[in-house]
PDB file of all heavy atoms in Angstrom:
ATOM      1  N   LEU A 425      90.040 106.490  89.604  1.00 96.00           N
ATOM      2  CA  LEU A 425      90.847 106.206  90.814  1.00 96.00           C
ATOM      3  C   LEU A 425      92.178 105.406  90.273  1.00 96.00           C
ATOM      4  O   LEU A 425      93.250 105.597  90.689  1.00 96.00           O
ATOM      5  CB  LEU A 425      90.143 105.289  92.042  1.00 96.00           C
ATOM      6  CG  LEU A 425      90.789 105.166  93.210  1.00 96.00           C
ATOM      7  CD1 LEU A 425      89.640 105.220  94.377  1.00 96.00           C
ATOM      8  CD2 LEU A 425      91.633 103.942  93.314  1.00 96.00           C
ATOM      9  N   PHE A 426      91.901 104.431  89.415  1.00 96.00           N
ATOM     10  CA  PHE A 426      92.944 103.664  88.757  1.00 96.00           C
ATOM     11  C   PHE A 426      94.031 104.723  88.199  1.00 96.00           C
ATOM     12  O   PHE A 426      95.224 104.549  88.290  1.00 96.00           O
ATOM     13  CB  PHE A 426      92.458 102.756  87.736  1.00 96.00           C
ATOM     14  CG  PHE A 426      93.367 101.794  87.066  1.00 96.00           C
ATOM     15  CD1 PHE A 426      93.710 100.605  87.640  1.00 96.00           C
ATOM     16  CD2 PHE A 426      93.928 102.146  85.762  1.00 96.00           C
ATOM     17  CE1 PHE A 426      94.671  99.780  87.048  1.00 96.00           C
ATOM     18  CE2 PHE A 426      94.745 101.365  85.228  1.00 96.00           C
ATOM     19  CZ  PHE A 426      95.300 100.171  85.731  1.00 96.00           C
ATOM     20  N   ALA A 427      93.448 105.564  87.205  1.00 96.00           N
ATOM     21  CA  ALA A 427      94.230 106.473  86.446  1.00 96.00           C
ATOM     22  C   ALA A 427      94.949 107.474  87.344  1.00 96.00           C
ATOM     23  O   ALA A 427      96.221 107.820  87.060  1.00 96.00           O
ATOM     24  CB  ALA A 427      93.553 107.172  85.498  1.00 96.00           C
ATOM     25  N   LYS A 428      94.518 107.828  88.462  1.00 96.00           N
ATOM     26  CA  LYS A 428      94.987 109.008  89.319  1.00 96.00           C
ATOM     27  C   LYS A 428      95.907 108.381  90.479  1.00 96.00           C
ATOM     28  O   LYS A 428      96.571 109.185  91.162  1.00 96.00           O
ATOM     29  CB  LYS A 428      93.919 109.808  89.869  1.00 96.00           C
ATOM     30  CG  LYS A 428      93.274 110.725  88.808  1.00 96.00           C
ATOM     31  CD  LYS A 428      92.325 111.669  89.430  1.00 96.00           C
ATOM     32  CE  LYS A 428      91.727 112.715  88.387  1.00 96.00           C
ATOM     33  NZ  LYS A 428      90.804 113.677  89.084  1.00 96.00           N
ATOM     34  N   SER A 429      95.906 107.032  90.782  1.00 97.00           N
ATOM     35  CA  SER A 429      96.681 106.494  91.833  1.00 97.00           C
ATOM     36  C   SER A 429      98.131 106.830  91.614  1.00 97.00           C
ATOM     37  O   SER A 429      98.712 106.582  90.500  1.00 97.00           O
ATOM     38  CB  SER A 429      96.474 105.013  91.972  1.00 97.00           C
ATOM     39  OG  SER A 429      95.093 104.803  92.398  1.00 97.00           O
ATOM     40  N   THR A 430      98.873 107.251  92.682  1.00 97.00           N
ATOM     41  CA  THR A 430     100.294 107.440  92.641  1.00 97.00           C
ATOM     42  C   THR A 430     101.051 106.325  93.210  1.00 97.00           C
ATOM     43  O   THR A 430     100.488 105.505  93.772  1.00 97.00           O
ATOM     44  CB  THR A 430     100.543 108.736  93.467  1.00 97.00           C
ATOM     45  OG1 THR A 430     100.211 108.411  94.804  1.00 97.00           O
ATOM     46  CG2 THR A 430      99.682 109.966  93.061  1.00 97.00           C
ATOM     47  N   PRO A 431     102.467 106.312  92.987  1.00 97.00           N
ATOM     48  CA  PRO A 431     103.120 105.272  93.519  1.00 97.00           C
ATOM     49  C   PRO A 431     102.976 105.181  95.006  1.00 97.00           C
ATOM     50  O   PRO A 431     102.890 104.130  95.642  1.00 97.00           O
ATOM     51  CB  PRO A 431     104.582 105.758  93.130  1.00 97.00           C
ATOM     52  CG  PRO A 431     104.475 106.482  91.904  1.00 97.00           C
ATOM     53  CD  PRO A 431     103.218 107.207  92.078  1.00 97.00           C
ATOM     54  N   ALA A 432     102.794 106.317  95.799  1.00 97.00           N
ATOM     55  CA  ALA A 432     102.697 106.315  97.197  1.00 97.00           C
ATOM     56  C   ALA A 432     101.329 105.601  97.562  1.00 97.00           C
ATOM     57  O   ALA A 432     101.133 104.853  98.488  1.00 97.00           O
ATOM     58  CB  ALA A 432     102.660 107.669  97.694  1.00 97.00           C
ATOM     59  N   ASP A 433     100.281 105.806  96.808  1.00 97.00           N
ATOM     60  CA  ASP A 433      98.948 105.317  96.911  1.00 97.00           C
ATOM     61  C   ASP A 433      99.038 103.772  96.734  1.00 97.00           C
ATOM     62  O   ASP A 433      98.440 103.029  97.710  1.00 97.00           O
ATOM     63  CB  ASP A 433      97.897 105.711  95.858  1.00 97.00           C
ATOM     64  CG  ASP A 433      97.524 107.312  96.116  1.00 97.00           C
ATOM     65  OD1 ASP A 433      97.752 107.883  97.263  1.00 97.00           O
ATOM     66  OD2 ASP A 433      97.185 107.959  95.029  1.00 97.00           O
ATOM     67  N   VAL A 434      99.680 103.292  95.785  1.00 98.00           N
ATOM     68  CA  VAL A 434      99.806 101.839  95.517  1.00 98.00           C
ATOM     69  C   VAL A 434     100.678 101.165  96.667  1.00 98.00           C
ATOM     70  O   VAL A 434     100.239 100.106  97.075  1.00 98.00           O
ATOM     71  CB  VAL A 434     100.459 101.685  94.066  1.00 98.00           C
ATOM     72  CG1 VAL A 434     100.691 100.148  93.844  1.00 98.00           C
ATOM     73  CG2 VAL A 434      99.566 102.273  93.031  1.00 98.00           C
ATOM     74  N   LYS A 435     101.763 101.916  97.001  1.00 98.00           N
ATOM     75  CA  LYS A 435     102.566 101.308  98.023  1.00 98.00           C
ATOM     76  C   LYS A 435     101.731 101.175  99.351  1.00 98.00           C
ATOM     77  O   LYS A 435     101.967 100.087 100.127  1.00 98.00           O
ATOM     78  CB  LYS A 435     103.715 102.247  98.264  1.00 98.00           C
ATOM     79  CG  LYS A 435     104.735 101.773  99.419  1.00 98.00           C
ATOM     80  CD  LYS A 435     105.873 102.582  99.636  1.00 98.00           C
ATOM     81  CE  LYS A 435     106.762 102.277 100.748  1.00 98.00           C
ATOM     82  NZ  LYS A 435     107.724 103.321 101.246  1.00 98.00           N
ATOM     83  N   LEU A 436     101.002 102.234  99.729  1.00 98.00           N
ATOM     84  CA  LEU A 436     100.172 102.198 100.879  1.00 98.00           C
ATOM     85  C   LEU A 436      99.226 101.018 100.927  1.00 98.00           C
ATOM     86  O   LEU A 436      99.101 100.224 101.823  1.00 98.00           O
ATOM     87  CB  LEU A 436      99.638 103.436 101.084  1.00 98.00           C
ATOM     88  CG  LEU A 436      98.790 103.809 102.462  1.00 98.00           C
ATOM     89  CD1 LEU A 436      99.892 103.619 103.642  1.00 98.00           C
ATOM     90  CD2 LEU A 436      98.187 105.061 102.457  1.00 98.00           C
ATOM     91  N   ALA A 437      98.480 100.893  99.807  1.00 98.00           N
ATOM     92  CA  ALA A 437      97.497  99.857  99.675  1.00 98.00           C
ATOM     93  C   ALA A 437      98.171  98.477  99.705  1.00 98.00           C
ATOM     94  O   ALA A 437      97.639  97.486 100.284  1.00 98.00           O
ATOM     95  CB  ALA A 437      96.742  99.982  98.373  1.00 98.00           C
ATOM     96  N   ALA A 438      99.263  98.228  99.041  1.00 98.00           N
ATOM     97  CA  ALA A 438     100.048  96.995  99.113  1.00 98.00           C
ATOM     98  C   ALA A 438     100.443  96.578 100.459  1.00 98.00           C
ATOM     99  O   ALA A 438     100.236  95.447 100.861  1.00 98.00           O
ATOM    100  CB  ALA A 438     101.252  97.067  98.156  1.00 98.00           C
ATOM    101  N   ASN A 439     100.870  97.562 101.197  1.00 98.00           N
ATOM    102  CA  ASN A 439     101.308  97.311 102.605  1.00 98.00           C
ATOM    103  C   ASN A 439     100.216  97.013 103.493  1.00 98.00           C
ATOM    104  O   ASN A 439     100.361  96.150 104.447  1.00 98.00           O
ATOM    105  CB  ASN A 439     102.332  98.407 103.072  1.00 98.00           C
ATOM    106  CG  ASN A 439     103.769  98.268 102.684  1.00 98.00           C
ATOM    107  OD1 ASN A 439     104.436  97.598 103.281  1.00 98.00           O
ATOM    108  ND2 ASN A 439     104.055  99.024 101.531  1.00 98.00           N
ATOM    109  N   ARG A 440      99.098  97.689 103.198  1.00 97.00           N
ATOM    110  CA  ARG A 440      97.841  97.408 104.048  1.00 97.00           C
ATOM    111  C   ARG A 440      97.412  96.017 103.938  1.00 97.00           C
ATOM    112  O   ARG A 440      96.977  95.515 104.849  1.00 97.00           O
ATOM    113  CB  ARG A 440      96.783  98.437 103.565  1.00 97.00           C
ATOM    114  CG  ARG A 440      95.647  98.390 104.478  1.00 97.00           C
ATOM    115  CD  ARG A 440      94.864  99.645 104.462  1.00 97.00           C
ATOM    116  NE  ARG A 440      94.712 100.352 103.112  1.00 97.00           N
ATOM    117  CZ  ARG A 440      95.235 101.604 102.827  1.00 97.00           C
ATOM    118  NH1 ARG A 440      95.635 102.258 103.909  1.00 97.00           N
ATOM    119  NH2 ARG A 440      95.111 102.189 101.762  1.00 97.00           N
ATOM    120  N   TRP A 441      97.499  95.380 102.733  1.00 98.00           N
ATOM    121  CA  TRP A 441      96.928  94.122 102.495  1.00 98.00           C
ATOM    122  C   TRP A 441      97.897  92.846 102.456  1.00 98.00           C
ATOM    123  O   TRP A 441      97.735  91.826 102.840  1.00 98.00           O
ATOM    124  CB  TRP A 441      96.056  94.065 101.280  1.00 98.00           C
ATOM    125  CG  TRP A 441      94.942  95.006 101.422  1.00 98.00           C
ATOM    126  CD1 TRP A 441      94.831  96.372 100.850  1.00 98.00           C
ATOM    127  CD2 TRP A 441      93.643  94.718 102.033  1.00 98.00           C
ATOM    128  NE1 TRP A 441      93.544  96.837 101.249  1.00 98.00           N
ATOM    129  CE2 TRP A 441      92.779  96.056 102.056  1.00 98.00           C
ATOM    130  CE3 TRP A 441      93.211  93.759 102.823  1.00 98.00           C
ATOM    131  CZ2 TRP A 441      91.656  96.102 102.589  1.00 98.00           C
ATOM    132  CZ3 TRP A 441      91.880  93.923 103.264  1.00 98.00           C
ATOM    133  CH2 TRP A 441      91.094  95.033 103.199  1.00 98.00           C
ATOM    134  N   LEU A 442      99.121  93.136 101.880  1.00 97.00           N
ATOM    135  CA  LEU A 442      99.967  92.116 101.587  1.00 97.00           C
ATOM    136  C   LEU A 442     101.035  91.813 102.568  1.00 97.00           C
ATOM    137  O   LEU A 442     101.773  91.036 102.358  1.00 97.00           O
ATOM    138  CB  LEU A 442     100.647  92.331 100.157  1.00 97.00           C
ATOM    139  CG  LEU A 442      99.653  92.481  98.947  1.00 97.00           C
ATOM    140  CD1 LEU A 442     100.254  92.601  97.642  1.00 97.00           C
ATOM    141  CD2 LEU A 442      98.561  91.483  99.012  1.00 97.00           C
ATOM    142  N   ARG A 443     100.964  92.538 103.708  1.00 96.00           N
ATOM    143  CA  ARG A 443     101.880  92.216 104.812  1.00 96.00           C
ATOM    144  C   ARG A 443     101.188  91.278 105.806  1.00 96.00           C
ATOM    145  O   ARG A 443     101.709  90.785 106.780  1.00 96.00           O
ATOM    146  CB  ARG A 443     102.283  93.475 105.518  1.00 96.00           C
ATOM    147  CG  ARG A 443     103.388  94.293 104.672  1.00 96.00           C
ATOM    148  CD  ARG A 443     104.328  94.921 105.520  1.00 96.00           C
ATOM    149  NE  ARG A 443     105.137  95.859 104.895  1.00 96.00           N
ATOM    150  CZ  ARG A 443     106.418  95.392 104.303  1.00 96.00           C
ATOM    151  NH1 ARG A 443     106.930  94.235 104.667  1.00 96.00           N
ATOM    152  NH2 ARG A 443     107.244  96.287 103.734  1.00 96.00           N
ATOM    153  N   GLY A 444      99.932  90.957 105.444  1.00 94.00           N
ATOM    154  CA  GLY A 444      99.070  90.045 106.274  1.00 94.00           C
ATOM    155  C   GLY A 444      99.476  88.622 106.030  1.00 94.00           C
ATOM    156  O   GLY A 444     100.318  88.281 105.223  1.00 94.00           O
ATOM    157  N   ASN A 445      98.891  87.649 106.763  1.00 97.00           N
ATOM    158  CA  ASN A 445      99.041  86.288 106.540  1.00 97.00           C
ATOM    159  C   ASN A 445      98.583  85.819 105.135  1.00 97.00           C
ATOM    160  O   ASN A 445      97.654  86.483 104.708  1.00 97.00           O
ATOM    161  CB  ASN A 445      98.348  85.448 107.741  1.00 97.00           C
ATOM    162  CG  ASN A 445      98.986  85.637 108.975  1.00 97.00           C
ATOM    163  OD1 ASN A 445     100.172  85.934 109.165  1.00 97.00           O
ATOM    164  ND2 ASN A 445      98.114  85.739 110.020  1.00 97.00           N
ATOM    165  N   HIS A 446      99.186  84.884 104.565  1.00 97.00           N
ATOM    166  CA  HIS A 446      98.921  84.446 103.315  1.00 97.00           C
ATOM    167  C   HIS A 446      98.770  82.869 103.239  1.00 97.00           C
ATOM    168  O   HIS A 446      99.096  82.132 104.120  1.00 97.00           O
ATOM    169  CB  HIS A 446      99.982  84.942 102.357  1.00 97.00           C
ATOM    170  CG  HIS A 446     101.326  84.522 102.653  1.00 97.00           C
ATOM    171  ND1 HIS A 446     101.818  83.183 102.673  1.00 97.00           N
ATOM    172  CD2 HIS A 446     102.355  85.239 103.201  1.00 97.00           C
ATOM    173  CE1 HIS A 446     103.022  83.267 103.001  1.00 97.00           C
ATOM    174  NE2 HIS A 446     103.464  84.424 103.350  1.00 97.00           N
ATOM    175  N   TYR A 447      98.200  82.461 102.100  1.00 97.00           N
ATOM    176  CA  TYR A 447      98.006  81.002 101.820  1.00 97.00           C
ATOM    177  C   TYR A 447      98.961  80.614 100.612  1.00 97.00           C
ATOM    178  O   TYR A 447      98.851  81.391  99.643  1.00 97.00           O
ATOM    179  CB  TYR A 447      96.553  80.761 101.523  1.00 97.00           C
ATOM    180  CG  TYR A 447      96.337  79.314 101.015  1.00 97.00           C
ATOM    181  CD1 TYR A 447      95.936  78.322 102.192  1.00 97.00           C
ATOM    182  CD2 TYR A 447      96.321  78.899  99.723  1.00 97.00           C
ATOM    183  CE1 TYR A 447      95.702  77.015 101.650  1.00 97.00           C
ATOM    184  CE2 TYR A 447      96.080  77.584  99.392  1.00 97.00           C
ATOM    185  CZ  TYR A 447      95.732  76.643 100.306  1.00 97.00           C
ATOM    186  OH  TYR A 447      95.556  75.455  99.909  1.00 97.00           O
ATOM    187  N   THR A 448      99.687  79.594 100.687  1.00 97.00           N
ATOM    188  CA  THR A 448     100.507  79.041  99.692  1.00 97.00           C
ATOM    189  C   THR A 448     100.164  77.624  99.242  1.00 97.00           C
ATOM    190  O   THR A 448     100.092  76.850 100.126  1.00 97.00           O
ATOM    191  CB  THR A 448     101.988  79.080 100.043  1.00 97.00           C
ATOM    192  OG1 THR A 448     102.325  80.445 100.422  1.00 97.00           O
ATOM    193  CG2 THR A 448     102.919  78.794  98.897  1.00 97.00           C
ATOM    194  N   MET A 449      99.860  77.496  97.955  1.00 95.00           N
ATOM    195  CA  MET A 449      99.522  76.129  97.482  1.00 95.00           C
ATOM    196  C   MET A 449     100.603  75.791  96.452  1.00 95.00           C
ATOM    197  O   MET A 449     100.830  76.598  95.478  1.00 95.00           O
ATOM    198  CB  MET A 449      98.159  76.128  96.787  1.00 95.00           C
ATOM    199  CG  MET A 449      97.898  74.925  96.004  1.00 95.00           C
ATOM    200  SD  MET A 449      97.759  73.494  96.862  1.00 95.00           S
ATOM    201  CE  MET A 449      96.012  73.455  97.336  1.00 95.00           C
ATOM    202  N   THR A 450     101.189  74.695  96.567  1.00 96.00           N
ATOM    203  CA  THR A 450     102.130  74.104  95.543  1.00 96.00           C
ATOM    204  C   THR A 450     101.558  72.884  94.934  1.00 96.00           C
ATOM    205  O   THR A 450     101.249  71.980  95.584  1.00 96.00           O
ATOM    206  CB  THR A 450     103.481  73.679  96.148  1.00 96.00           C
ATOM    207  OG1 THR A 450     104.078  74.834  96.871  1.00 96.00           O
ATOM    208  CG2 THR A 450     104.594  73.139  95.157  1.00 96.00           C
ATOM    209  N   VAL A 451     101.247  72.964  93.513  1.00 93.00           N
ATOM    210  CA  VAL A 451     100.692  71.917  92.862  1.00 93.00           C
ATOM    211  C   VAL A 451     101.762  71.195  92.062  1.00 93.00           C
ATOM    212  O   VAL A 451     102.576  71.717  91.306  1.00 93.00           O
ATOM    213  CB  VAL A 451      99.619  72.470  91.837  1.00 93.00           C
ATOM    214  CG1 VAL A 451      98.914  71.319  91.166  1.00 93.00           C
ATOM    215  CG2 VAL A 451      98.693  73.390  92.547  1.00 93.00           C
ATOM    216  N   ARG A 452     101.840  69.824  92.201  1.00 93.00           N
ATOM    217  CA  ARG A 452     102.902  68.981  91.646  1.00 93.00           C
ATOM    218  C   ARG A 452     102.291  68.035  90.699  1.00 93.00           C
ATOM    219  O   ARG A 452     101.186  67.619  90.805  1.00 93.00           O
ATOM    220  CB  ARG A 452     103.713  68.289  92.736  1.00 93.00           C
ATOM    221  CG  ARG A 452     104.349  69.185  93.857  1.00 93.00           C
ATOM    222  CD  ARG A 452     105.097  68.406  94.811  1.00 93.00           C
ATOM    223  NE  ARG A 452     105.680  69.426  95.805  1.00 93.00           N
ATOM    224  CZ  ARG A 452     106.902  70.019  95.638  1.00 93.00           C
ATOM    225  NH1 ARG A 452     107.495  69.908  94.593  1.00 93.00           N
ATOM    226  NH2 ARG A 452     107.302  70.871  96.572  1.00 93.00           N
TER     227      ARG A 452
END
Side-chain angles (χ1 to χ4, degrees):
L425 194 145
F426 180 87
K428 289 186 173 182
S429 291
T430 65
D433 294 332
V434 175
K435 178 184 176 184
L436 189 62
N439 279 275
R440 185 159 34 240
W441 296 100
L442 304 187
R443 292 216 182 258
N445 294 323
H446 53 73
Y447 175 90
T448 303
M449 165 69 85
T450 302
V451 186
R452 301 182 183 278

